[in-house]
């Protein structure tokens, strides 16, 4: 088995001096029915040899073990990757809101305050940690609470992206409530219990939001 090519060309089908052999190729000797009778691997110079072969009509073929397994693609919506795929979709959908709100908060920070901190000898990291972040804390709280509420009530992305075969690997509370109540099971009591549990998860963040509004208006 060799590379049927040499610099400057060469004659096809003929082994010439400058043509290199291919080592490690599995070569099979097959009978008239196509059954492999013997197999061998090529040496460093591309040669191979079969031993103890009875007389008969045979043909030589390169074995399937020589070739790499074909790439079957990535199953992004399969059982292993459905959760990361939904996370990426949710982050992509919610990142715009967070960026706009945080950007507006950064634009509202007085530049005089930042310059005063730099004049007092603060490094950029100290300005960020001790000036920018504290002034941006109300905005970050809004983004955090909004995103947490969005995560708890996420439903449409999971329903739209996850195929039925892998939906159990990516189910969320809201989707579980819908499946138990309206997706054929008609277990309305169970679905109501899940909805009450979901509402209970919302309460701490609602209280945090209400307190924040009151402190801003005080």
């Amino acid at each position: 088995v060799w590379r049927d090519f040499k610099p400057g060309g060469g004659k096809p089908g003929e082994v010439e001096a400058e043509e290199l052999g291919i080592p490690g190729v599995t070569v099979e000797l097959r009978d008239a029915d196509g059954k492999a009778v013997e197999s061998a691997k090529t040496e460093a110079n591309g040669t191979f040899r079969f031993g103890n072969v009875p007389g008969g009509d045979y043909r030589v073929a390169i074995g399937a073990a020589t070739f790499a397994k074909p790439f079957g693609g990535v199953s992004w919506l399969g059982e292993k990757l459905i959760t990361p795929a939904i996370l990426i979709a949710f982050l992509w959908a919610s990142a715009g809101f967070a960026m706009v709100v945080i950007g507006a908060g950064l634009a509202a920070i007085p530049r005089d305050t930042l310059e005063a901190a730099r004049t007092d000898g603060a490094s950029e990291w100290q300005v960020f940690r001790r000036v920018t972040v504290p002034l941006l804390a109300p905005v970050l709280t809004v983004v955090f609470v909004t995103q947490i509420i969005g995560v708890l009530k996420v439903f449409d992305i999971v329903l739209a992206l996850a195929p039925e075969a892998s939906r159990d690997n990516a189910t969320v509370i809201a989707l579980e409530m819908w499946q138990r109540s309206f997706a054929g099971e008609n277990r309305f009591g169970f679905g109501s219990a899940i909805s009450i549990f979901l509402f209970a998860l919302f309460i701490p963040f609602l209280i945090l939001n209400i307190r924040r509004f009151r402190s801003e208006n005080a």
Side-chain angles (χ1 to χ4, degrees):
V1 180
W2 77 100
R3 297 179 178 89
D4 195 12
F5 173 81
K6 71 175 184 179
K11 295 181 180 180
E14 293 185 12
V15 181
E16 300 178 83
E18 297 182 17
E19 294 178 342
L20 302 176
I22 304 177
V25 177
T26 301
V27 182
E28 295 179 349
L29 186 66
R30 299 178 181 177
D31 58 17
D33 297 329
K35 183 179 179 181
V37 177
E38 191 73 27
S39 65
K41 281 188 177 292
T42 57
E43 303 293 339
N45 58 0
T47 60
F48 60 92
R49 180 180 179 183
F50 299 116
N52 301 323
V53 179
D57 294 330
Y58 301 98
R59 62 186 180 89
V60 177
I62 296 178
T66 302
F67 304 98
K69 186 178 180 180
F71 178 63
V74 178
S75 180
W76 291 104
L77 301 182
E79 294 181 357
K80 294 182 178 180
L81 294 178
I82 183 61
T83 299
I86 290 176
L87 287 175
I88 292 172
F90 179 80
L91 290 175
W92 180 265
S94 59
F97 167 79
M99 292 173 64
V100 169
V101 174
I102 293 175
L106 288 172
I109 294 177
R111 294 295 177 264
D112 296 341
T113 305
L114 302 178
E115 292 300 329
R118 294 189 181 99
T119 303
D120 290 339
S123 63
E124 290 300 324
W125 169 247
Q126 290 174 329
V127 171
F128 174 76
R129 186 166 62 92
R130 297 184 179 274
V131 180
T132 304
V133 172
L135 292 176
L136 204 61
V139 175
L140 295 177
T141 302
V142 171
V143 173
F144 174 75
V145 172
T146 304
Q147 295 301 324
I148 289 295
I149 293 175
V151 168
L152 290 175
K153 71 180 184 64
V154 65
F155 168 78
D156 51 346
I157 294 178
V158 182
L159 183 64
L161 282 183
E164 191 171 353
S166 57
R167 188 171 293 168
D168 289 340
N169 297 81
T171 188
V172 292
I173 298 177
L175 180 63
E176 194 72 16
M177 176 186 66
W178 175 79
Q179 287 180 326
R180 297 295 173 262
S181 300
F182 307 109
E185 294 189 17
N186 296 329
R187 300 170 64 185
F188 299 109
F190 191 19
S192 299
I194 295 176
S195 66
I196 293 173
F197 174 72
L198 182 60
F199 178 72
L201 293 179
F202 277 110
I203 291 177
F205 301 102
L206 293 175
I207 294 174
L208 180 63
N209 234 4
I210 292 171
R211 287 183 176 179
R212 183 182 60 81
F213 284 136
R214 287 180 177 177
S215 63
E216 289 179 356
N217 296 327

